[in-house]
Amino acid sequence: METLEQYFSYCKDCDISFIFYQLYKKMKIIHSNGMYVPLVDSSHVFYDGDFSFDSISLSDDIASDKKRNILSLTKLFLGTYLSLSTEFRDFSSVNTDWFCQNMNDIDSIITGDDFLPEYFHSVFLDNADNYYCDFIDEWKKNRNSPGLNHGYKKVLSNSGSKFYQDQSEPIKDVIVEKRAAFINYLFYPVLILSLVLLGFVFYTCFKYLSI
């Protein structure tokens, strides 16, 4: 058995998203049973063939404890992603304001489908208490659903809307296609009308000059 900090000290090419997906799922189960995790940091998360928290306690205020747990785990998640390529750092105790103030810079270095800036926005900027496992499941379901995909960007509250486009890319594509079809539909009628008007002008000018 080793701590998450020890695990990341030698594992530089691991699936961070999957590791934290598992941790969020376990945290969700803990909360659903009226419990919470007293300490959420890299020294209190253990790996023994699976990832788990070292201790849980009965909650007196599950709503508050849930929000605090998700915030700490999300800091640990994002901090691991940001730091692991050089040297692992535990961001779980970093002030939330730091994440909010640097979110634009953080967005610029987040890549990959499983690291959705929208999730981190929802937790840090919108003060949401949604689990990453639920967020990514919903996003994948929307992405793989047939027909128009209304986009995972609609999931978040309006207070963070300045970071998101109003329409998902598939909807934009449909709008572009419809505009192109409409232009093609008008092309020939407009061309014929223009030729008729041009002919009328030439006829009028010729008739006027021949008098």
Side-chain angles (χ1 to χ4, degrees):
M1 181 179 291
E2 58 189 349
T3 67
L4 195 65
E5 183 176 9
Q6 293 169 332
Y7 177 84
F8 284 134
S9 68
Y10 67 83
C11 182
K12 300 296 184 181
D13 191 28
C14 49
D15 191 340
I16 302 172
S17 177
F18 180 69
I19 291 171
F20 281 92
Y21 181 92
Q22 290 180 304
L23 287 172
Y24 279 95
K25 289 196 76 169
K26 291 191 175 182
M27 181 174 279
K28 181 179 179 180
I29 294 172
I30 292 170
H31 292 159
S32 67
N33 285 282
M35 313 285 283
Y36 77 105
V37 184
L39 290 171
V40 182
D41 58 40
S42 61
S43 298
H44 292 85
V45 177
F46 282 86
Y47 176 72
D48 186 15
D50 195 8
F51 296 92
S52 58
F53 302 100
D54 69 337
S55 64
I56 58 176
S57 300
L58 186 64
S59 174
D60 294 326
D61 184 357
I62 190 60
S64 177
D65 287 333
K66 173 185 174 182
K67 188 179 290 290
R68 186 172 66 253
N69 275 180
I70 289 177
L71 181 60
S72 295
L73 185 57
T74 304
K75 290 178 180 179
L76 182 60
F77 179 21
L78 183 55
T80 300
Y81 174 78
L82 296 174
S83 67
L84 196 59
S85 60
T86 53
E87 183 179 358
F88 172 75
R89 291 180 56 201
D90 189 333
F91 280 63
S92 57
S93 60
V94 172
N95 193 291
T96 304
D97 290 341
W98 182 89
F99 289 94
C100 296
Q101 293 166 4
N102 292 279
M103 192 58 66
N104 286 337
D105 292 331
I106 292 172
D107 286 352
S108 67
I109 60 176
I110 292 179
T111 59
D113 286 348
D114 289 344
F115 294 98
L116 302 176
E118 288 78 8
Y119 176 72
F120 302 116
H121 293 167
S122 72
V123 174
F124 295 122
L125 301 177
D126 294 344
N127 200 30
D129 58 359
N130 49 328
Y131 301 97
Y132 170 74
C133 55
D134 290 346
F135 193 94
I136 197 71
D137 285 348
E138 182 67 19
W139 175 75
K140 287 182 176 179
K141 183 179 71 174
N142 289 339
R143 184 182 63 173
N144 296 327
S145 63
L148 281 179
N149 179 355
H150 294 292
Y152 58 86
K153 296 178 182 179
K154 294 288 188 179
V155 173
L156 306 179
S157 66
N158 291 332
S159 59
S161 61
K162 65 180 180 180
F163 291 97
Y164 320 117
Q165 298 173 350
D166 292 333
Q167 296 169 320
S168 61
E169 293 304 320
I171 294 178
K172 282 188 172 182
D173 292 341
V174 170
I175 293 173
V176 171
E177 289 174 3
K178 286 184 176 180
R179 286 176 178 171
F182 182 67
I183 291 171
N184 289 335
Y185 176 78
L186 290 178
F187 177 76
Y188 289 106
V190 171
L191 178 62
I192 293 172
L193 182 60
S194 298
L195 291 174
V196 170
L197 289 175
L198 187 61
F200 177 76
V201 170
F202 276 117
Y203 172 77
T204 302
C205 291
F206 178 78
K207 185 176 180 181
Y208 176 78
L209 293 174
S210 62
I211 296 175

